């Protein structure tokens, strides 16, 4: 009887010690992560998966045929991309409008745009976004009371796209016009506000630094005079970010050459080297 009680006591003490050790280890790594983030302005690690989801062969074939970003990744990068895309797609509800017939290709290419943009971030699901609504063409928006090609509505947690314009932006990769990149940048930006996870902190701190940089009137004048970034960027700070990210993804080398300080801030926010990977 005494022996049994002693055994239980030992077991309890062992479990308690082990739990405490785990907690200390967890707090230690969390502290290291925070220190690393504040020193280097980027996460100590981005990808870590105990189990990786996979796409079907037909889904991978769609990516191979359509996504240059996916094709340029290493085989390890491809498997991370596939895992993230699978998780992203299963988290979002896709809705079609005006008899648009949704297929796997539509879902994959829209999701691939989000996963590409967030590939340098630890968190990529974007809880602010629940629904992706696709129209065949431009649609009448009650928000702006005019026809839109796309919009992100944080109240409805919905990203709305005209497929015709999304596809054009997706296929033409060097004209600095990309509807998917533009709207997902709005979603990532709004998702980062008031969140304290690593990805959101890197993004929102970088955005604050970007706004400070843009107080330099000479730089703003140079950007406006260059014609490199379209005028719509100067509508407000949200549109500025969404437009410059289109340039950042589609003309990275030119962007880096013309406006290195601005380029560096965007690269810091997304934690990814799109120019040269
Ligand atoms: Zn916009």
């Amino acid at each position: 009887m005494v022996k049994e009680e002693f055994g239980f006591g030992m077991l309890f003490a062992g479990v308690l010690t082990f739990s405490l050790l785990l907690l200390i280890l967890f707090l230690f790594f969390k502290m290291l992560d925070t220190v690393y983030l504040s020193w280097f302005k980027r996460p100590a690690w981005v990808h870590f998966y105990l189990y990786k989801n996979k796409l079907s062969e037909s889904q991978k074939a769609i990516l191979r045929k359509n996504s240059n970003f996916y094709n340029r990744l290493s085989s390890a990068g491809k498997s991370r991309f596939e895992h993230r895309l699978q998780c992203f797609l299963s988290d979002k509800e896709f809705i079609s409008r005006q008899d648009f017939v949704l297929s796997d290709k539509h879902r994959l290419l829209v999701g691939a745009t989000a996963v590409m943009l967030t590939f340098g971030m630890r968190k990529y699901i974007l809880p602010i976004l629940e629904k992706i609504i696709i129209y065949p063409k431009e649609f009448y928006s009650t928000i702006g009371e005019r026809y839109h090609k796309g919009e992100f509505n944080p109240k409805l947690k919905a990203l709305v796209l005209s497929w015709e314009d999304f596809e054009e932006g997706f296929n033409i990769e060097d004209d600095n016009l990309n509807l998917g990149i533009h709207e997902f940048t709005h979603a990532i930006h709004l998702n980062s506000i008031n969140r304290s996870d690593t990805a959101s902190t890197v993004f929102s701190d970088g955005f604050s630094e970007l706004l400070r940089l843009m107080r330099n009137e000479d730089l703003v004048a140079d950007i406006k005079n260059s014609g490199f970034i379209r005028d719509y960027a100067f509508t407000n700070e949200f549109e500025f970010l969404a437009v410059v990210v289109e340039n950042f993804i589609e003309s990275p080398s030119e962007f880096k050459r013309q406006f290195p300080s601005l380029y560096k801030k965007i690269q810091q926010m997304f934690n990814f080297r799109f120019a040269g990977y």
Side-chain angles (χ1 to χ4, degrees):
M1 189 67 182
V2 172
K3 205 175 174 184
E4 270 177 26
E5 278 173 9
F6 178 74
F8 179 75
M10 286 287 283
L11 181 67
F12 181 73
V15 169
L16 191 67
T17 310
F18 183 68
S19 307
L20 269 174
L21 271 174
L22 272 183
L23 181 68
I24 290 167
L25 260 179
F26 172 77
L27 292 174
F28 178 69
F29 279 112
K30 197 157 172 54
M31 189 193 72
L32 276 186
D33 197 34
T34 309
V35 170
Y36 190 96
L37 180 66
S38 62
W39 278 1
F40 298 106
K41 297 182 178 180
R42 61 189 165 89
W45 51 270
V46 173
H47 298 276
F48 176 75
Y49 313 108
L50 290 172
Y51 172 79
K52 278 204 199 113
N53 287 323
K54 292 181 173 27
L55 294 175
S56 68
E57 279 310 312
S58 65
Q59 289 175 319
K60 282 193 256 182
I62 291 171
L63 286 183
R64 280 196 294 271
K65 193 175 171 195
N66 295 282
S67 171
N68 286 333
F69 179 85
Y70 173 79
N71 285 327
R72 283 195 288 256
L73 290 170
S74 64
S75 60
K78 281 190 178 84
S79 99
R80 290 170 182 155
F81 189 89
E82 290 161 21
H83 168 83
R84 284 188 164 208
L85 185 50
Q86 174 70 265
C87 294
F88 184 86
L89 292 178
S90 48
D91 187 69
K92 310 301 172 202
E93 181 188 2
F94 279 74
I95 300 165
S96 70
R97 290 275 193 263
Q98 294 175 351
D99 298 329
F100 184 69
V101 182
L102 264 173
S103 71
D104 228 12
K105 178 184 167 184
H106 303 124
R107 296 168 74 253
L108 281 165
L109 299 194
V110 170
T113 302
V115 172
M116 173 186 75
L117 278 174
T118 53
F119 210 54
M121 300 177 179
R122 198 180 290 172
K123 288 206 170 179
Y124 58 95
I125 291 292
L126 307 174
I128 201 171
L129 174 63
E130 290 178 356
K131 286 173 273 192
I132 296 174
I133 301 169
I134 305 186
Y135 284 81
K137 292 181 177 192
E138 279 191 337
F139 54 92
Y140 189 77
S141 166
T142 49
I143 297 175
E145 295 186 335
R146 60 188 171 84
Y147 280 87
H148 278 194
K149 292 175 179 175
E151 66 189 30
F152 175 62
N153 187 327
K155 274 190 190 158
L156 298 178
K157 296 194 165 191
L159 192 138
V160 194
L161 296 168
S162 138
W163 177 256
E164 186 178 72
D165 295 283
F166 173 87
E167 191 174 39
E168 190 179 331
F170 194 96
N171 289 338
I172 306 170
E173 291 190 322
D174 57 358
D175 63 352
N176 299 326
L177 291 170
N178 190 311
L179 179 67
I181 286 171
H182 185 103
E183 299 306 335
F184 273 118
T185 299
H186 282 317
I188 294 166
H189 186 185
L190 291 169
N191 189 72
S192 76
I193 295 172
N194 299 326
R195 281 182 196 272
S196 58
D197 62 87
T198 310
S200 301
T201 306
V202 172
F203 197 89
S204 50
D205 286 356
F207 185 63
S208 302
E209 290 178 25
L210 182 144
L211 291 182
R212 277 199 290 280
L213 183 71
M214 295 311 290
R215 286 189 205 135
N216 180 336
E217 289 175 7
D218 290 340
L219 175 64
V220 174
D222 283 349
I223 293 172
K224 284 183 175 171
N225 293 334
S226 71
F228 176 63
I229 290 169
R230 69 181 194 272
D231 290 344
Y232 186 63
F234 299 95
T235 308
N236 58 46
E237 61 192 44
F238 291 92
E239 295 308 334
F240 181 77
L241 182 66
V243 172
V244 296
V245 173
E246 289 178 78
N247 289 62
F248 178 77
I249 303 289
E250 298 221 334
S251 310
S253 305
E254 182 65 13
F255 196 146
K256 197 174 182 177
R257 191 183 64 76
Q258 287 207 39
F259 305 108
S261 55
L262 179 58
Y263 181 88
K264 207 173 156 194
K265 291 292 165 228
I266 307 284
Q267 192 178 62
Q268 178 189 323
M269 291 165 73
F270 286 89
N271 188 38
F272 203 79
R273 295 173 189 275
F274 288 89
Y277 293 57

